Amino acid sequence: MSALLPDAARPRRILSIWMPAMAMDRWRLGGSGERRALDDKPLVLIADTAHGPRIEAANRSGMAAGACRGMMLADARTLCPDIATAPSDPAGDLAFLEKLAIWAQRWGPWSAMDAPDSLLVDVTAVPHLFGGEGRLLADVAETFARRELTLRCAIAPTAGAAWALSHYGPPGAILAAQDDAEARLADLPVAALRLDDDVLTVLRRLGLKRLGELATIGRDAIQRRFRNRKSPAANPLIRLDQILGRVPEPLLPVVPQHMPLVQRRLMEPIRHRQLLDQVVGDLAGDMARELEARGEGARRLELGMWRVDGEVVVRRLEMAAATREAAHICRLFAARLDDVDAGFGIEMLRLRASWAEPLALEQGDIEAAAETHGTSLAACIDRLTVRLGREAVTRPVPFASHIPERAQRWQPPLEPEPTSQGELAFHRRPLKLLDNPERIAVLYATPDGYPRRFRWRGEVHEVARVEGPERIAPEWWRERGGTRLRDYYRIEDDRGRRYWIYRLGIVGDGRGGAPDWYLQGLCA
C-alpha cells in the first residue's frame, strides 16, 4: 500500500467527509414525493436480526422521539407508537458510498471509502487550487448541500486525525502540519480512535474518556492491558500512533492505481558499486519498456534496495518532465547511490514509478538523432536539481497579475504551479520584454492621441502603424492611491520594427503632471 502514499517530501493532507445521515438521505432522495413527505414524521430504517427488527438509521423526527441506531424497534415503539418504518439496504448504501467516493475525486487525485458512511480524499498539494484549505472545505459543504446530503468534514495530516475531527471536532476543522496534533486532539472523546465497542467499554470503565487522558497513565500501563490485541481497532496505542502519524496507515483507493513496477531478485547478494549500477541499468531498461507499453512517462521514481539483514534503502527521484529514457534515469540515480551502505549485501532491487503521466509514442528519425546530441531542457533541469539541490534551480511560472513585469514568479521546477488567471485571448504580448521599462521621448498630435515619433537610446523612430490602446489599471490592493494607469500601444516604425510602449497616466487624472512614456517590449 505504500505505493498509494504521496511523496515523503510533501506534507500529507487528508480530507475526511462524514455523512451521519447517509442512509436516510439516500432513502429519501431515491424515492418519490411520498418519501420526502415523511421527513416531518418519525421514521426509521430497520434490519431483521435474530432478536427482532433493529434500527439502522433514523430521521431527525425519529431521533427527537428517542429512536437511535442500534435500538430494537420494539423499544422505539414504546417511546413513539406511531413511528414509521422502512427496510434498510446495506448493499445499496455501500454502492452509493462507492459512487460518492469516485465523485469526490473532484477534490483530490484519489479517494477511499471508509464504510459505512465516510470518505477519505487525498488533497495533498490541492488546496491552493481552491484558494486555501478553508475554501476547499466550504466548496465541499456547498456541493453536498446542493445534493441535499448532510455532512461534516475536516482536513488533517493523517487519515485518523481527519476522521476524528470530522466526527467529534468542530465543523470545518483544519489541523495544520505545523500544529501540535496531540494537544489539538486531547479534548476529543476516546471514540475518536475508531475502536471496537468492547474496547471503548473497557476504557470507560478505567475512567479514560478523553484522548489526552491516555497520556496521563502512561503507555506502559495501556500496553500491558492490551498487549494481546494486535488489530488496530482493538488496540488504543496503535490507533493513537496512527492519528499522530507515528505509524503509517495504508489506505485503499476506490479506483485501484496500478503503478509501473519492475524488480530483480539476485541469486547472490551484491556489495560493489559496479554491480549495483549494472542492476539499476537493467531495471531502468525494464521500466522504460513498461512505460512505453502503457504510453506513459515517469515523473517520480522510487528505487528500493533490500539488504540481507532486512534493512531497506530507498532513493527517490522527481523529474521536471515525464520521461522513459533509461540512460537518463541511470545518470540521475548514479548521483543518489554514492552513500548507499550495502551491509552484508543487497539481495533484491525494486524500481517503481509512483507518479506517471501520459507520454505519446513517437518514431525516432535516425538521421535527425545522429545530428542532434544535445541535452533537453527537462534533462538539464533534472541533472542540476540532483547535483545542486531542489532549491538551487528555479523556473518562471505564470502569476495572476495584469501588470506585465509581475505576471511571472520564480520557483523550484518540481513545485506545483500556482493558480493563474491564464492567458486571455486579447493578451497579446511581445516576444521579448525588457527587464525594466525604459523611458522614451514621444511626440504626438494631441496629449491623448497616438504617438507619431519617439526617441529611444539616442535614435529617432518614425511611427508608421499603431494598434491600441490596451488600458491596464493599477492593482489597487497593493498600490498607493496616486499610482497612474497605463495605456499600451503596439507600434511599428518606418523600417518595419515593432515595439510595445505604454503611456503612464492621462492628462487631467489628478495624479501628476504630463504623462510619461516607456518602452517595455520588442515584438516579432
Side-chain angles (χ1 to χ4, degrees):
M1 293 301 167
S2 60
L4 307 177
L5 301 179
D7 189 68
R10 297 181 180 179
R12 192 181 186 192
R13 307 299 291 167
I14 299 296
L15 166 66
S16 175
I17 301 174
W18 176 41
M19 295 163 286
M22 187 195 73
M24 187 60 66
D25 290 342
R26 172 181 168 269
W27 183 88
R28 175 174 50 85
L29 297 175
S32 60
E34 297 179 357
R35 291 190 176 183
R36 295 176 179 266
L38 293 175
D39 286 346
D40 299 332
K41 300 179 182 179
L43 172 68
V44 294
L45 302 181
I46 60 174
D48 291 330
T49 65
H51 302 285
R54 184 183 61 189
I55 297 177
E56 295 293 331
N59 63 357
R60 291 186 178 89
S61 300
M63 290 186 290
C68 62
R69 182 178 180 181
M71 177 185 291
M72 302 306 295
L73 179 61
D75 297 334
R77 288 197 183 278
T78 61
L79 300 175
C80 183
D82 56 349
I83 193 170
T85 63
S88 64
D89 184 12
D93 293 340
L94 187 62
F96 181 67
L97 184 65
E98 183 177 1
K99 292 180 181 179
L100 285 179
I102 298 175
W103 173 71
Q105 290 182 356
R106 59 184 293 162
W107 295 295
W110 63 263
S111 59
M113 293 190 302
D114 189 9
D117 52 11
S118 298
L119 300 173
L120 295 173
V121 185
D122 187 353
V123 294
T124 304
V126 172
H128 71 280
L129 301 176
F130 295 85
E133 294 183 349
R135 293 190 177 182
L136 188 149
L137 291 179
D139 183 73
V140 173
E142 180 184 357
T143 306
F144 272 77
R146 287 200 301 266
R147 286 157 178 79
E148 301 183 31
L149 296 173
T150 307
L151 88 155
R152 289 170 57 92
C153 54
I155 294 179
T158 63
W163 189 95
L165 289 173
S166 64
H167 284 67
Y168 298 98
I174 298 176
L175 180 61
Q178 64 273 13
D179 291 345
D180 187 353
E182 191 168 2
R184 284 282 305 274
L185 303 174
D187 294 333
L188 299 183
V190 292
L193 290 177
R194 300 169 294 167
L195 298 170
D196 295 334
D197 292 338
D198 60 329
V199 181
L200 293 176
T201 302
V202 172
L203 292 177
R204 293 191 184 99
R205 290 176 179 175
L206 295 175
L208 302 175
K209 299 180 180 180
R210 302 289 174 183
L211 297 185
E213 297 174 355
L214 296 177
T216 59
I217 64 174
R219 294 179 61 94
D220 293 339
I222 302 177
Q223 178 64 30
R224 287 194 299 269
R225 180 63 180 80
F226 297 96
R227 61 180 179 271
N228 295 326
R229 305 199 178 195
K230 305 301 182 182
S231 172
N235 194 316
L237 292 182
I238 297 179
R239 284 301 196 194
L240 185 61
D241 289 341
Q242 287 179 345
I243 282 183
L244 300 179
R246 299 168 184 166
V247 175
E249 181 179 358
L251 299 175
L252 182 64
V254 65
V255 179
Q257 299 181 356
H258 302 288
M259 299 299 180
L261 184 146
V262 293
Q263 67 179 16
R264 283 285 193 278
R265 295 183 180 272
L266 307 178
M267 297 182 61
E268 294 290 339
I270 59 175
R271 298 181 58 188
H272 301 290
R273 175 62 187 273
Q274 182 179 2
L275 297 176
L276 179 61
D277 290 338
Q278 181 178 351
V279 177
V280 171
D282 295 340
L283 287 175
D286 294 345
M287 177 60 69
R289 288 186 289 272
E290 178 72 17
L291 292 171
E292 184 177 6
R294 299 162 60 103
E296 296 178 341
R299 285 292 305 275
R300 187 185 298 123
L301 291 170
E302 295 181 3
L303 176 64
M305 293 160 280
W306 275 256
R307 301 193 323 192
V308 176
D309 56 3
E311 293 292 330
V312 181
V313 182
V314 180
R315 292 294 181 268
R316 296 180 175 86
L317 285 179
E318 193 166 343
M319 275 74 72
T323 181
R324 54 173 175 261
E325 183 181 352
H328 179 54
I329 295 174
C330 291
R331 284 193 296 267
L332 295 180
F333 270 119
R336 297 290 179 89
L337 301 179
D338 294 334
D339 59 343
V340 172
D341 182 10
F344 294 102
I346 298 174
E347 59 181 356
M348 188 180 75
L349 290 91
R350 177 179 297 171
L351 182 62
R352 179 173 57 86
S354 58
W355 179 12
E357 292 181 345
L359 185 62
L361 301 175
E362 59 182 15
Q363 181 178 1
D365 188 344
I366 299 178
E367 297 298 332
E371 297 176 0
T372 309
H373 296 284
T375 303
S376 66
L377 177 60
C380 178
I381 292 175
D382 293 338
R383 295 184 188 180
L384 293 175
T385 302
V386 170
R387 291 178 179 270
L388 305 178
R390 294 169 59 95
E391 304 298 331
V393 182
T394 58
R395 65 183 175 111
V397 296
F399 183 74
S401 177
H402 290 278
I403 306 300
E405 58 267 26
R406 296 176 183 166
Q408 70 178 20
R409 295 289 175 87
W410 293 86
Q411 69 177 30
L414 303 183
E415 294 296 326
E417 292 190 7
T419 55
S420 174
Q421 64 184 5
E423 184 178 357
L424 303 181
F426 56 84
H427 278 183
R428 301 179 60 188
R429 294 295 179 251
L431 182 64
K432 178 181 179 181
L433 286 177
L434 302 181
D435 292 336
N436 296 301
E438 298 184 9
R439 191 165 182 173
I440 58 177
V442 175
L443 299 179
Y444 40 80
T446 62
D448 294 331
Y450 293 132
R452 300 298 184 186
R453 183 185 300 113
F454 70 95
R455 179 186 296 274
W456 177 51
R457 295 182 178 179
E459 184 179 356
V460 178
H461 302 264
E462 296 288 340
V463 178
R465 297 179 180 85
V466 180
E467 180 182 352
E470 175 190 347
R471 177 159 294 180
I472 297 180
E475 296 176 338
W476 55 268
W477 58 92
R478 61 180 299 174
E479 302 284 4
R480 296 181 178 178
T483 304
R484 313 182 78 174
L485 55 80
R486 303 180 182 183
D487 284 337
Y488 279 85
Y489 297 88
R490 298 167 61 89
I491 64 175
E492 179 180 333
D493 63 8
D494 53 355
R495 286 176 287 184
R497 292 176 294 188
R498 299 179 179 180
Y499 306 90
W500 200 44
I501 66 175
Y502 70 88
R503 178 179 58 215
L504 183 63
I506 57 177
V507 177
D509 58 3
R511 299 184 177 182
D516 296 322
W517 289 82
Y518 293 87
L519 189 146
Q520 191 164 15
L522 305 176
C523 302

